[in-house]
Amino acid sequence: MSQLQLRFLFSYFQEAVVHETYIDRQFNDIYIARVDIQAEQIQFDRGEVSEVRFVSLETFEEMLLNDPLLASVYADEWRDITYFLDGWC
């Protein structure tokens, strides 16, 4: 496998009020990569990531609308991000 080339797209600040006593504040860096690879080839910390899979942008947008495990505050943020990614995918 060749070296993965990431292209930086943009950074943004996210603040999500998850609960009245929990406000999630973070800076996010968005990168894009195009590579011919199987998800099983990606190595990651299983303590931090439960699953890796590739989906089309359309499937991802459907997941945002219908995934009960995704907190709505994060779904809103990702819907905004897909707007910017649409021209890159």
Side-chain angles (χ1 to χ4, degrees):
M1 178 176 66
S2 63
Q3 183 70 20
L4 179 64
Q5 297 293 315
L6 294 175
R7 180 174 179 185
F8 174 76
L9 295 180
F10 56 89
S11 293
Y12 72 97
F13 175 76
Q14 174 185 24
E15 181 174 293
V17 179
V18 178
H19 186 273
E20 64 186 33
T21 60
Y22 179 62
I23 300 173
D24 183 15
R25 294 183 179 107
Q26 54 188 289
F27 288 95
N28 299 286
D29 295 327
I30 306 300
Y31 293 83
I32 193 167
R34 294 186 181 174
V35 63
D36 186 15
I37 188 174
Q38 299 297 313
E40 298 79 27
Q41 294 175 277
I42 299 174
Q43 297 177 6
F44 56 90
D45 183 342
R46 295 220 177 256
E48 294 186 15
V49 178
S50 61
E51 179 183 18
V52 172
R53 64 179 147 152
F54 297 112
V55 297
S56 67
L57 186 57
E58 293 79 19
T59 300
F60 182 66
E61 289 170 334
E62 182 69 25
M63 292 166 62
L64 292 173
L65 293 172
N66 298 314
D67 189 340
L69 299 177
L70 184 62
S72 62
V73 293
Y74 300 117
D76 293 343
E77 294 292 331
W78 278 101
R79 266 194 291 288
D80 292 343
I81 290 172
T82 59
Y83 170 81
F84 292 104
L85 293 178
D86 192 32
W88 296 93
C89 297

